[in-house]
Amino acid sequence: MRRREPERRRRERGRPRLPLRRSLLGRLLIVSVLVASCAVAATAWLAVQTTSGAIRQEQGQDLSSDAKIYNTLLGYAATHPRWEDVEDTARELARTSQRRIVLTTEDRRPLFDSAGASSVAPLPAQASAVVDPLSVDTVLVPEAMTAGSDRIDPRAVGPFLLPANERTELRSITEKQVACLNSVGVAADVVDSPSGRPRIEFVRNDTDRDLEFKCVAQNSGATLTEKKALDELNTLADACLKRQGHKGATLNLDLSWDRGYGQITAAGKQPAEKQSAEKYPSEKYPAEKYPTDKKAAAAVERGDDRAIASCVGSARREQLTDHVAAPALLFIDGTGAVSVPGFDLSPSNTARIVGVTALVLALTVGVSVIAGARLVRPLHALTGAAQRMRDGLDSAPVPVGPDNEIGRLAAAFNDMAVHRARLEEQRKVMVSDVAHELRTPLSNIRGWLEAAQDGLADPDPAFVSSLLEEAVQLQHIIDDLQDLGAADVGALRLHPEPVYADELLAQVAAAYQGPAETAGVTLTVAAPKPGPPGPTLYADPVRLRQAVSNLVSNAVRHTPSGGRVTLRSYRTGPGQGDEVALEVSDTGAGIPADDIPHVFDRFWRAEKSRNRSTGGSGLGLAIVLKLAEAQGGTASVVSTEGKGSVFTLRLPAAPAPAEGPAEAAAGPDGPDLINMTL
């Protein structure tokens, strides 16, 4: 080994180093640069997205503020006939929104300016919105907040505004109805509409319609004020229809009309009462009064109804003109609002970004170099240890670092080195054992032949028998080694077929009855009671007999005179798909607990002597294990020192017909046993 060490060092010095691009350190550096670049790009993208989101959020806040200003001023215009007293409302809006609010007439005559009369800032060419309660901007105010499709602000009620006495009377009736609903478990409350008429608002939509109609059966009807306003509106609508050549229609308080085929609202839809009558008909809403959906849909499609809806909308605007403020232009200036600064990619800012990027890259590369060096160091140690192992030199254990991938790799390498050393030692012992086992019969054969050649021994039958015995022993060892080699490479040829376990055990027992009697050992087979055949397994009968024979031979050899060796078979589970167990038990000296894990190792022997009566070659149990595994089974041993051992082979059971009651009644430990001396 000392002579080989300089040669190994010369080879290591002559071996070219890996290029940086192929080394682990180089790959780590490349990955680190890529990660850093991606991190910088992601940070820049995140900054842009965050800033853009902030800008969009600010724009959304401005739009929300504009909508609030517009809706407030729109409500003022819907409830006031003029803009004269809007100053307090507009000034409060300007204060809370920190925006400049300007109201002008349609010809741009100023009505209000939150900046004061001293402001000389010119107004934009286009107004932010037109404040007209009779034509609501649905962009700033959702269409759901307008009264149907006519875009009239619902707060503009005009002559429909109820006086105090009528409000009080209607509220009293509505409160009684709400109390009735609450008493039957329907949650409801009183809500005032813009005209002052109270209405019932249900907390949940899944109310019981029968209970609802029972409590609201008393209809308050239209008041004197509402009848007067409704007659005026009906007159205006009829005049419009007459001009267009259509018949007049009678309007209801909810601005629906009755044409004889069902009520239709100004929006071209059936009222809620009609839909309720279809599902919950009652005396107040009989089903025959309201046609089916098909008829109502056909009525809506008629041009008369579209004309009525258009005239009702025109009549409402004409009726409300004197009760609402005139349209005004609304200007909302951003002065005083918080603005989001944009990007200023000046040379200094560009240099700052490049500097920060370079710093991030430098830090990333530096950290990667340090981490890579710490990572590569144990790999170099592993590489050196592997090269020493390849050269046949003793390798010291590699230092095991923290519990990570490299540490686990080092621990696995140390385990592999220990296992390799153990295998190498076993190989040396095996070579020595094989040489000894082969030398003994060969030496005997050579000695007898030389004696015959020198005339010292006569070639009589005893002479030939002795030579044959030695040749058979030699052939037995060679066959065992050949079987192990074939099993290791998966080249063991098997011919499986159904085998009766009891018959196979009887054949093996008969073959070893002579050696057992010579050793003074009683060899028995535990067989089932007379009746159906015993368990059947699926295996190669020749190889299975070989495995059982090795177990029996081993048991007879290690059982003292007067002892007993018993063979038996049984199923390990009910039905098809279970296993069949073959047991060989003896009353010998047993195996120490420390030696049990090694009994199936090659050339391992509890008795280290080479005595033919007890020693053996140490290959029999190893062959048993290989033959069992090759046929899909297992081999195991249970032994108590001083009391004997039990070797068990478990192999797949062969598919068989339903078993008779005798075998089906057998327990998990097998059938009732009868000792049969062979």
Side-chain angles (χ1 to χ4, degrees), residues 354-370:
V354 173
V356 171
T357 304
L359 179 60
V360 172
L361 288 175
L363 290 176
T364 304
V365 172
V367 172
S368 300
V369 170
I370 297 174

Side-chain angles (χ1 to χ4, degrees), residues 184-187 202-212 280:
V184 295
V186 179
F202 295 95
V203 177
R204 296 189 305 175
N205 295 327
D206 55 343
T207 58
D208 190 336
R209 294 293 182 178
D210 292 335
L211 297 176
E212 175 187 343
Y280 307 97

Side-chain angles (χ1 to χ4, degrees), residues 92-375:
E92 178 63 21
L93 289 173
R95 185 187 64 81
T96 55
S97 64
Q98 297 183 0
R99 313 286 289 278
R100 179 190 176 191
I101 298 176
V102 179
L103 279 172
T104 68
T105 61
E106 290 185 309
D107 56 359
R108 294 202 172 220
R109 286 187 293 108
L111 295 174
F112 170 79
D113 189 348
S114 62
S118 59
S119 176
V120 294
L123 296 176
Q126 185 176 359
S128 302
V130 178
V131 183
D132 184 3
L134 303 182
S135 180
V136 177
D137 188 349
T138 56
V139 175
L140 295 175
V141 178
E143 186 176 356
M145 297 180 62
T146 62
S149 60
D150 52 11
R151 295 174 57 189
I152 297 177
D153 193 295
R155 293 168 291 189
V157 294
F160 286 90
L161 184 64
L162 300 180
N165 58 340
E166 293 181 353
R167 293 187 184 186
T168 303
E169 181 181 357
L170 291 177
R171 188 170 187 86
S172 177
I173 297 174
T174 307
E175 287 177 351
K176 291 180 181 179
Q177 294 174 346
V178 170
C180 175
L181 291 173
N182 292 336
S183 65
V184 295
V186 179
D189 199 359
V190 180
V191 178
D192 289 329
S193 61
S195 65
R197 167 177 278 273
R199 60 183 178 85
I200 299 176
E201 183 177 83
F202 295 95
V203 177
R204 296 189 305 175
N205 295 327
D206 55 343
T207 58
D208 190 336
R209 294 293 182 178
D210 292 335
L211 297 176
E212 175 187 343
F213 292 142
K214 177 182 177 181
C215 291
V216 299
Q218 180 185 0
N219 190 357
S220 57
T223 65
L224 294 177
T225 302
E226 291 172 335
K227 289 180 180 179
K228 181 179 178 181
L230 189 60
D231 291 341
E232 179 185 355
L233 180 63
N234 214 138
T235 302
L236 294 174
D238 287 344
C240 174
L241 290 171
K242 186 176 181 180
R243 288 194 298 270
Q244 297 181 12
H246 295 282
K247 294 182 179 181
T250 301
L251 298 179
N252 301 310
L253 187 59
D254 59 353
L255 301 185
S256 62
W257 57 88
D258 191 352
R259 294 292 303 272
Y261 46 78
Q263 290 180 325
I264 305 297
T265 64
K269 300 180 181 179
Q270 294 173 329
E273 291 84 355
K274 192 273 171 185
Q275 301 175 9
S276 300
E278 290 182 350
K279 294 185 178 180
Y280 307 97
S282 64
E283 294 180 358
K284 183 176 181 181
Y285 302 108
E288 59 272 9
K289 181 179 178 180
Y290 299 95
T292 61
D293 286 343
K294 185 175 181 181
K295 294 180 180 179
V300 172
E301 293 177 358
R302 297 180 182 180
D304 291 346
D305 293 321
R306 289 195 295 268
I308 294 174
S310 176
C311 285
V312 169
S314 300
R316 289 190 65 201
R317 293 185 181 88
E318 184 178 354
Q319 185 186 38
L320 295 174
T321 299
D322 296 334
H323 299 274
V324 299
L329 301 181
L330 173 63
F331 298 89
I332 303 176
D333 193 0
T335 304
V338 179
S339 60
V340 179
F343 287 100
D344 182 14
L345 293 180
S346 60
S348 60
N349 286 340
T350 303
R352 186 179 306 162
I353 295 174
V354 173
V356 171
T357 304
L359 179 60
V360 172
L361 288 175
L363 290 176
T364 304
V365 172
V367 172
S368 300
V369 170
I370 297 174
R374 292 175 59 86
L375 180 64

